[in-house]
Amino acid sequence: MRRKPRAEARQPREEVRKVRTDLYRQHIFDMAERVFADRGFETAKVQEISTLAGLSMGTIYAIFPSKDDLFRAILEARGEELLELVRDVTSHKLPPHEALMALGDAYIGYFVAHPDFLRMHLREGTSWVLTPAPATDARVQLWQEVHKRQADIFRRGVAAGVFIKEEPGYLAKLFSAMDQVLLADWVASGMKADRAALVERLQQLVDRTFCVASAKAPRRGSTRR
């Protein structure tokens, strides 16, 4: 019988190793978010993440060479997920007010589903309005695309007479700040309100801040479930 080439024989083992590494990576992400959320980046220790994850320090360092690498990897991975949500919402070309509310609903839904990441982000004091810091190229590109897509919604809304006459990029930054304050207040109050209540509150703020009186839409609560 002819033997398989050694490289081909090793392939299943390598696939198993990759699956295991991916599982470890996600588990470390989840536990690290919790530690960073509770302790802050400067105070958090890899040993705490190791203990919470039930994995050795060696296993963690084999995937993430340092605490900085782990922290940046979380920010970039979550940023990619948020960008995909933004792309999904904006690809449908909804009317401006509906698009803005769908976007706010998507943001709120994401952070309600990932409260440790939200707390970690807020603890670091990072502004959603300014270019992210530390600013890796990947994070800057993510932020720029999200901001551009938000500004495009406002640009269409201003042109249609739905939103107040103001520079669209400025309105996009106000919307990001509004969203951040809303979610920060939710965390500070013990995260008791549900998604629908948060979306309802956001719509009230959007209508009062951005909409001209004749264009305010009736309140409908969450647009997605």
Side-chain angles (χ1 to χ4, degrees):
M1 181 180 293
R2 189 177 178 181
R3 289 187 175 183
K4 294 182 179 180
R6 183 168 297 181
E8 184 179 340
R10 283 202 302 264
Q11 187 174 355
R13 183 178 298 178
E14 291 170 355
E15 289 177 354
V16 169
R17 186 181 296 114
K18 182 180 183 305
V19 170
R20 183 176 59 194
T21 300
D22 289 345
L23 287 173
Y24 281 171
R25 182 183 181 88
Q26 186 58 57
H27 182 55
I28 294 167
F29 262 34
D30 293 340
M31 298 303 102
E33 280 180 346
R34 191 177 305 173
V35 173
F36 288 139
D38 290 340
R39 306 271 288 161
F41 174 76
E42 295 297 334
T43 307
K45 299 183 183 303
V46 176
Q47 179 64 60
E48 294 174 298
I49 298 170
S50 169
T51 300
L52 189 62
L55 297 172
S56 70
M57 297 275 283
T59 297
I60 293 177
Y61 281 127
I63 301 174
F64 302 101
S66 70
K67 185 174 73 169
D68 292 275
D69 290 320
L70 174 53
F71 191 77
R72 283 196 298 268
I74 293 172
L75 292 176
E76 290 180 9
R78 295 303 192 199
E80 287 281 359
E81 292 170 355
L82 281 165
L83 178 56
E84 284 306 309
L85 286 178
V86 175
R87 286 171 174 167
D88 178 56
V89 171
T90 56
S91 67
H92 297 298
K93 294 298 181 182
L94 298 169
H97 185 275
E98 187 177 344
L100 191 62
M101 287 314 305
L103 191 58
D105 187 12
Y107 287 150
I108 288 171
Y110 183 85
F111 285 113
V112 167
H114 300 90
D116 287 333
F117 175 63
L118 174 61
R119 292 193 302 118
M120 163 187 154
H121 212 304
L122 294 173
R123 180 178 280 277
E124 293 307 308
T126 304
S127 170
W128 297 358
V129 173
L130 304 176
T131 303
T136 62
D137 289 343
R139 290 190 66 208
V140 169
Q141 289 174 5
L142 288 171
W143 180 87
Q144 287 175 338
E145 183 172 347
V146 168
H147 177 70
K148 180 180 181 299
R149 287 175 179 266
Q150 287 184 180
D152 285 343
I153 293 175
F154 281 105
R155 187 171 292 106
R156 292 193 294 117
V158 171
V162 174
F163 297 138
I164 59 174
K165 291 183 179 180
E166 180 56 84
E167 199 278 311
Y170 181 72
L171 295 179
K173 290 179 180 180
L174 282 179
F175 178 72
S176 292
M178 181 182 294
D179 192 38
Q180 185 173 17
V181 170
L182 178 78
L183 288 165
D185 183 68
W186 177 65
V187 170
S189 62
M191 298 186 288
K192 296 174 183 177
D194 62 15
R195 174 177 177 171
L198 292 172
V199 172
E200 172 74 9
R201 188 176 185 187
L202 180 63
Q203 179 163 342
Q204 293 175 23
L205 293 170
V206 164
D207 286 350
R208 288 199 299 264
T209 306
F210 302 117
C211 294
V212 299
S214 61
K216 292 180 181 177
R219 295 173 195 154
R220 292 170 296 176
S222 178
T223 58
R224 294 187 176 189
R225 298 291 177 187

